[in-house]
Amino acid sequence: MENTVIAAEVDPLKRAEDGGEVPSSAELKKKTCNGVLGFAKLTHWRTAVFFLSIFLCLAIVFAFSFIIPCPVRPQYLISWNRTFPEAASYDFLATEDTNRDKVNDILFVLRSSKGSQNNTCTGAGLPSPCVFFIAVDGTDGNALWECPLDPEFHWAQCGLEEDANRNWGCLVAHSDKLSAIDKYTGEVRWQQQQPPGLHGTAPVLSVPDLDRDMVKDLALVASDSTQTQLVFLSGKTGVLIGSKVVLNSTETANHLLHHSATGSQYVLLQTETGLYGLALYKIAAKAKPGTEVNLKMDKQWEKNASPTSGLIPIYESDSLRRVLRMGQGEGTPNLLLVTGKEVALLNGKTLQSLWKINSSSVLREPSFGHFNKDGILDVVVEEDEGDYEKRVVILDGKSGGVLWEVLFLATPNSPIPASIHTTNYFSIFVFWGKKDFNATSVPGISDRHIYMLHPLYSKVLLESPRSLDHILTFKATLLERGRHAAYILLTGPVTQEAQGTVVLSKRKLKQDVPNSEVCNVGDGAETIDVIKEAFNRLRFSD
């Protein structure tokens, strides 16, 4: 009876009348002890697994924190100079990341008997002096590589439309050759003779893969007093695709590739009678039938095409001077045109006029930047005012209205205006000239200064120290994505035939702010310290 009661207490659902054998008190105690011991062993295993997990987590954290190195940010020199004695250079400067450190480096061309890395023209089997295509590190100016080439230099172009299958980044026209150069190593990937009787001019046009070798191809345009011609070259080998095609029976001053709203590609030709377009589809079909299968024409554009030449009139003018694409990012850019009478903006999709202003004295190529925060690029124009004076005007990209203007002394050998975008949705503008002047004598290089304009403080300019050397080319840019705004200056002899000292220099844009002077161009109440602090607080954007 006692055993039955104990069994019932241990398992209330178990009844003696079930006929099962009722365990004794000793057996129950034994089973209970075994259960406790088993549970204790299981608890020890769980504890061991818990601490092992913590150890593994800590090991991983320490591995990533100390053993595996963190990415090292490039260390910049605030400014640097590279000097090349007994040399000459050209109006060419490009910025590309050539050593894969996510910082843009500088590419330029040197004419000398010896390069920057003790390579000689004679050692390369070339006549002396020869051409050196050189890349220097954007962080400190040290040479990364150099490529000796046959003289003479004609033009170079980097930054063609990206193609993952293309193993080169820059195309150089020199002597009677075209050389495709790997921007990472400086090696010549391919070199071809220019097509007979045709010496192409920049820009080179990047076109779809016409020869089906999985690499985008190239279009080269050449013009003389009698006609304008185009040839297609393989982007992989530089070999001619098909034959030459005559685009126009007159000389072309400039050319560019434009995409219509439907994605159709058109070669735009700037002639003495205006701007005309010709479908890439038609050109490819003439060069080599069958290569046009992946191209198309825009039906709206083709409605106005000439039945004989295929040319589409876009803007007719007997004084067209410049045609520029105006836009950024994806989509079809608008077209900015400068004639002897006006500056006009055309819608890149519809070719309809967006705005037009009268201006008969534009000195040279306009530039772009954001003066206001409407997200539309504004236009910077330099106008000749006579008596060695020029007027710098910023036009509203949306309406063509004047947003800002100032009068400068038109100093010789001054680069065109430039700009760098900021995270505040406006740009910092850079001008060359002289603000406070007395135009009674011919201005010289000693009168040339560099100025910066902050759109939020548009009543003043920041004047930086002047440069007394002959400027070959100038570029204001970001050396790293969203960081390190700087300007690159290449100075040297006036002519390429002269031997002298070539200097390539980089200066951080904010470097000269503390020593700069503030020049008033209007009635502003801000103090000098407030203006300089505003420049120092700037953060830049692509």
Side-chain angles (χ1 to χ4, degrees):
M1 181 68 184
E2 182 181 356
N3 290 339
T4 303
V5 174
I6 295 174
E9 290 176 355
V10 173
D11 190 354
L13 298 178
K14 188 172 181 67
R15 306 266 181 191
E17 58 266 26
D18 291 341
E21 184 180 352
V22 179
S24 63
S25 299
E27 289 175 341
L28 285 174
K29 290 180 179 180
K30 183 178 180 180
K31 289 181 179 180
T32 303
C33 291
N34 290 338
V36 172
L37 290 173
F39 179 75
K41 290 180 180 180
L42 184 60
T43 302
H44 290 320
W45 277 109
R46 287 178 176 175
T47 304
V49 171
F50 173 72
F51 282 108
L52 180 61
S53 301
I54 292 178
F55 174 79
L56 291 175
C57 291
L58 289 175
I60 293 172
V61 170
F62 277 101
F64 278 97
S65 300
F66 300 101
I67 300 174
I68 300 176
C70 295
V72 179
R73 286 195 58 79
Q75 299 298 313
Y76 291 92
L77 294 179
I78 294 177
S79 64
W80 50 257
N81 294 277
R82 289 299 310 276
T83 302
F84 306 90
E86 299 180 7
S89 190
Y90 305 85
D91 182 11
F92 169 76
L93 196 66
T95 53
E96 297 278 343
D97 181 12
T98 64
N99 59 357
R100 295 186 172 93
D101 63 351
K102 298 182 180 180
V103 177
N104 281 337
D105 307 303
I106 294 93
L107 300 108
F108 70 108
V109 179
L110 195 70
R111 183 179 184 271
S112 180
S113 299
K114 183 174 69 173
S116 61
Q117 296 179 320
N118 294 324
N119 296 319
T120 63
C121 301
T122 305
L126 302 173
S128 184
C130 62
V131 172
F132 288 91
F133 194 70
I134 302 175
V136 300
D137 197 323
T139 62
D140 55 19
N142 290 331
L144 297 172
W145 51 257
E146 60 186 17
C147 177
L149 299 169
D150 288 288
E152 293 293 325
F153 172 78
H154 303 304
W155 51 263
Q157 185 174 338
C158 299
L160 285 167
E161 185 179 344
E162 289 293 331
D163 183 354
N165 297 323
R166 187 183 285 157
N167 63 355
W168 54 272
C170 297
L171 194 66
V172 183
H174 60 102
S175 184
D176 58 349
K177 300 180 178 65
L178 284 174
S179 296
I181 298 177
D182 187 332
K183 69 177 182 179
Y184 298 113
T185 64
E187 298 176 359
V188 176
R189 292 301 184 181
W190 55 257
Q191 188 176 84
Q192 298 287 351
Q193 296 285 329
Q194 291 225 34
L198 186 145
H199 291 282
T201 57
V204 177
L205 309 179
S206 181
V207 299
D209 180 19
L210 302 179
D211 56 3
R212 300 184 181 92
D213 61 359
M214 306 302 293
V215 179
K216 290 182 180 179
D217 297 316
L218 309 173
L220 204 62
V221 179
S223 181
D224 56 29
S225 58
T226 60
Q227 62 183 0
T228 299
Q229 302 178 84
L230 180 146
V231 293
F232 292 110
L233 303 177
S234 168
K236 187 174 183 179
T237 62
V239 173
L240 184 68
I241 301 174
S243 58
K244 291 185 287 188
V245 177
V246 176
L247 304 181
N248 198 5
S249 59
T250 61
E251 186 175 7
T252 298
N254 190 21
H255 60 273
L256 53 89
L257 190 65
H258 187 74
H259 293 72
S260 72
T262 62
S264 304
Q265 294 174 296
Y266 282 79
V267 177
L268 304 188
L269 304 174
Q270 177 190 334
T271 72
E272 59 185 8
T273 58
L275 181 66
Y276 297 86
L278 185 60
L280 191 65
Y281 177 97
K282 294 180 179 179
I283 302 172
K286 289 182 180 180
K288 188 176 181 180
T291 58
E292 77 279 7
V293 292
N294 294 324
L295 303 173
K296 58 183 178 179
M297 295 186 291
D298 191 305
K299 294 181 180 179
Q300 288 298 118
W301 284 45
E302 293 300 323
K303 288 180 180 180
N304 299 320
S306 167
T308 55
S309 66
L311 290 173
I312 302 169
I314 296 175
Y315 193 88
E316 294 181 300
S317 170
D318 58 1
S319 61
L320 184 61
R321 297 177 180 176
R322 292 173 182 85
V323 180
L324 300 170
R325 277 188 297 248
M326 180 178 164
Q328 57 189 36
E330 299 180 355
T332 302
N334 294 328
L335 298 172
L336 184 75
L337 296 93
V338 179
T339 74
K341 301 177 182 178
E342 59 196 12
V343 177
L345 185 68
L346 302 184
N347 185 299
K349 296 179 180 179
T350 65
L351 303 182
Q352 300 299 311
S353 177
L354 296 176
W355 53 258
K356 186 185 301 183
I357 64 164
N358 295 326
S359 179
S360 60
S361 57
V362 177
L363 285 173
R364 46 191 177 171
E365 180 178 307
S367 57
F368 306 102
H370 292 274
F371 185 85
N372 50 27
K373 298 183 180 182
D374 60 3
I376 300 174
L377 280 173
D378 302 311
V379 184
V380 185
V381 175
E382 294 176 293
E383 295 180 328
D384 185 7
E385 294 292 308
D387 295 327
Y388 307 110
E389 296 179 10
K390 66 178 179 182
R391 188 168 69 110
V392 178
V393 185
I394 299 180
L395 303 175
D396 188 353
K398 187 175 183 179
S399 65
V402 175
L403 297 174
W404 183 89
E405 61 181 336
V406 73
L407 203 63
F408 280 108
L409 183 67
T411 55
N413 187 224
S414 294
I416 66 172
S419 68
I420 298 182
H421 196 52
T422 71
T423 56
N424 301 103
Y425 307 105
F426 56 78
S427 302
I428 295 300
F429 295 86
V430 181
F431 309 110
W432 293 80
K434 188 175 182 181
K435 175 60 185 73
D436 299 318
F437 60 90
N438 184 4
T440 57
S441 59
V442 179
I445 289 181
S446 61
D447 297 313
R448 185 185 61 205
H449 294 257
I450 184 169
Y451 296 89
M452 289 192 292
L453 168 67
H454 193 307
L456 299 185
Y457 301 91
S458 59
K459 302 298 183 181
V460 297
L461 291 172
L462 210 59
E463 180 185 297
S464 299
R466 59 193 176 189
S467 171
L468 299 179
D469 298 317
H470 177 76
I471 298 174
L472 298 172
T473 187
F474 163 83
K475 190 179 184 70
T477 185
L478 293 180
L479 289 183
E480 192 176 356
R481 186 174 180 82
R483 297 174 60 89
H484 203 86
Y487 63 82
I488 316 297
L489 199 62
L490 183 65
T491 64
V494 178
T495 63
Q496 287 78 37
E497 292 73 22
Q499 293 289 313
T501 299
V502 174
V503 178
L504 178 68
S505 60
K506 184 222 80 169
R507 293 181 70 85
K508 190 175 180 181
L509 201 67
K510 296 181 182 180
Q511 179 182 353
D512 294 326
V513 171
N515 299 322
S516 296
E517 297 182 5
V518 175
C519 301
N520 292 318
V521 294
D523 297 328
E526 294 81 5
T527 65
I528 294 177
D529 292 338
V530 170
I531 301 300
K532 291 186 177 182
E533 181 61 24
F535 277 93
N536 285 325
R537 287 198 310 265
L538 288 171
R539 296 294 180 267
F540 297 93
S541 172
D542 296 317

